[in-house]
Amino acid sequence: MEGFFLQVLDRSITAGWLILAVVIVRFLLGKAPKWIRGILWGMVALRLVLPFSLESEFSLLPDDSPIERVAVGDADDATIPINQEIMISKEHSTVPPIDEVDTQGVRQEMTMTKRVKAMSVASIIWLAGIGVLLLYSILSFWKLHRRVADAVIWRKEKPAIYESEKVDSPFVLGLIKPCIYLPFRMSDEDRECVVAHEEAHISRGDHLIKPVGFLILAVYWFHPLVWLAYVLLCKDIEMACDEKVISHMSVADKKVYTKALLKCSKPQRMISACPLAFGEVGVKKRITNVLNYKKPAFWIIILSILACVIVAMCFLTEPKEKTEDNRVDLNNEEVDSYSQQQE
């Protein structure tokens, strides 16, 4: 388990650079269509999930991570002195005292034991954090499902639409068969806007993307940048869905849509895996985005896709590793330089 936890730590560090790059590109591409941001967050998910990555000469990631240096640093540091000591012993016919060798071995063993214990404790805390978040998401889903258990069906065609007095704001609930839940006494005008928005969520697969994102967050709960990525993902999902609905609307229809957003808005309680609530995430920013929306020019879309490609090459890939021959040559050069200094 400690080895797997080290791999998670390693991926979290490399993914942190990618998240920072996505946040910067996300800001620079403010006029780009919001579905472009989904591609960027998809790359972050791949970086966090996949146990391997491609190598590239364009990668801007460090050659080795701090986790690798901590894990194998002592062994690497001990390699050159041992080789140097052997060469010195051959030249001067001296052998290090046995007591010093034993003391060094005991110290290394004690250090390694402490590190193993620390990693064991850290891995247990990590698993406990995952359990807490997963339990929270399961209880939240169960509680919400119970709250709408007596909802009245309004439309049977897929996706089915239900109305309930216990619903404050419209949302989508369900993974395999997602359904739309609406509060009672909505006007026909508001209902049309809300249903179009929630159907866009389902057609985009957002009812699956958000829980998967929360599952990744549960694994990397210790990383603050992953929390930032999840919060921004939820906002970008809603804005991308808004743009899909209003892309063919007139100015008057957009105003109706923003009024529906304002009526259904409510404060966000906590970060959750579900549901996809209509008026819960970034309502003010979404209203501004809807009113100022203009269909992006073709060159902006091309530039945005190019930016995604550049981010993928620089931060989704790892730098090419040095060959074994190059490593041997470097070690030989270090040993030779040390010998020359001794002479």
Side-chain angles (χ1 to χ4, degrees):
M1 182 56 66
E2 289 81 4
F4 184 72
F5 178 55
L6 282 174
Q7 293 179 5
V8 171
L9 284 177
D10 183 42
R11 285 198 293 272
S12 69
I13 293 174
T14 55
W17 294 105
L18 177 57
I19 293 173
L20 291 176
V22 169
V23 171
I24 295 174
V25 172
R26 178 182 179 273
F27 174 76
L28 296 177
L29 299 178
K31 295 183 179 180
K34 299 302 182 288
W35 58 264
I36 290 290
R37 299 179 179 182
I39 297 176
L40 294 171
W41 295 125
M43 291 191 294
V44 173
L46 287 177
R47 185 80 219 186
L48 291 170
V49 171
L50 293 181
F52 62 90
S53 60
L54 300 177
E55 296 181 353
S56 171
E57 296 179 354
F58 303 99
S59 177
L60 298 181
L61 296 178
D63 292 338
D64 57 343
S65 69
I67 302 301
E68 291 177 344
R69 290 196 292 270
V70 170
V72 301
D74 290 343
D76 291 342
D77 294 341
T79 301
I80 294 177
I82 290 174
N83 293 335
Q84 294 169 354
E85 191 174 356
I86 292 174
M87 293 190 65
I88 295 172
S89 63
K90 286 183 179 180
E91 183 177 353
H92 300 285
S93 299
T94 58
V95 178
I98 298 178
D99 293 339
E100 293 181 5
V101 175
D102 292 341
T103 302
Q104 184 179 5
V106 171
R107 288 177 179 176
Q108 290 179 351
E109 185 176 356
M110 291 177 63
T111 302
M112 186 61 66
T113 302
K114 291 180 180 179
R115 289 186 177 181
V116 170
K117 290 182 179 179
M119 290 307 302
S120 298
V121 173
S123 61
I124 292 173
I125 296 174
W126 169 62
L127 289 176
I130 295 176
V132 169
L133 284 178
L134 291 180
L135 181 61
Y136 161 73
S137 63
I138 293 173
L139 291 177
S140 298
F141 180 84
W142 175 75
K143 183 179 179 180
L144 184 60
H145 195 271
R146 282 195 59 186
R147 192 171 67 180
V148 298
D150 56 352
V152 179
I153 191 165
W154 184 78
R155 189 185 74 180
K156 293 183 179 180
E157 293 80 8
K158 293 183 179 180
I161 300 177
Y162 292 85
E163 290 182 324
S164 174
E165 294 180 350
K166 300 177 182 178
V167 172
D168 300 327
S169 180
F171 60 84
V172 173
L173 184 63
L175 298 177
I176 300 176
K177 295 180 179 181
C179 300
I180 300 172
Y181 291 87
L182 307 175
F184 271 122
R185 294 177 294 276
M186 287 191 71
S187 65
D188 294 338
E189 201 173 49
D190 293 341
R191 184 185 288 110
E192 183 178 356
C193 295
V194 168
V195 170
H197 179 90
E198 303 301 345
E199 286 180 338
H201 270 312
I202 296 173
S203 64
R204 283 170 37 88
D206 293 337
H207 62 289
L208 298 175
I209 293 175
K210 190 173 180 180
V212 170
F214 187 84
L215 182 60
I216 296 174
L217 174 66
V219 176
Y220 293 90
W221 60 267
F222 55 87
H223 202 307
L225 288 179
V226 179
W227 285 89
L228 175 63
Y230 183 75
V231 171
L232 294 179
L233 169 67
C234 294
K235 292 182 179 180
D236 291 341
I237 283 176
E238 296 298 333
M239 287 195 289
C241 196
D242 289 336
E243 288 189 354
K244 183 175 181 179
V245 175
I246 67 172
S247 58
H248 301 291
M249 282 186 176
S250 63
V251 176
D253 292 335
K254 290 179 184 178
K255 291 182 179 179
V256 173
Y257 188 86
T258 56
K259 289 180 181 179
L261 265 176
L262 196 58
K263 289 179 182 179
C264 298
S265 64
K266 67 172 185 176
Q268 186 177 1
R269 298 174 184 175
M270 294 183 69
I271 293 177
S272 61
C274 64
L276 290 164
F278 177 71
E280 190 176 35
V281 179
V283 173
K284 292 183 179 179
K285 180 65 176 177
R286 289 167 60 190
I287 290 176
T288 303
N289 187 63
V290 169
L291 294 177
N292 298 331
Y293 175 77
K294 293 181 180 180
K295 189 174 182 180
F298 181 73
W299 67 270
I300 293 180
I301 298 176
I302 297 298
L303 183 63
S304 302
I305 295 175
L306 181 61
C308 293
V309 174
I310 294 174
V311 171
M313 289 192 302
C314 296
F315 296 97
L316 191 57
T317 60
E318 293 184 355
K320 289 187 176 181
E321 295 183 358
K322 297 177 181 179
T323 61
E324 192 66 27
D325 294 337
N326 291 337
R327 292 176 182 174
V328 173
D329 292 340
L330 288 174
N331 290 336
N332 291 336
E333 290 177 1
E334 291 176 355
V335 172
D336 292 339
S337 61
Y338 182 84
S339 300
Q340 292 175 0
Q341 292 176 2
Q342 293 298 321
E343 291 176 357

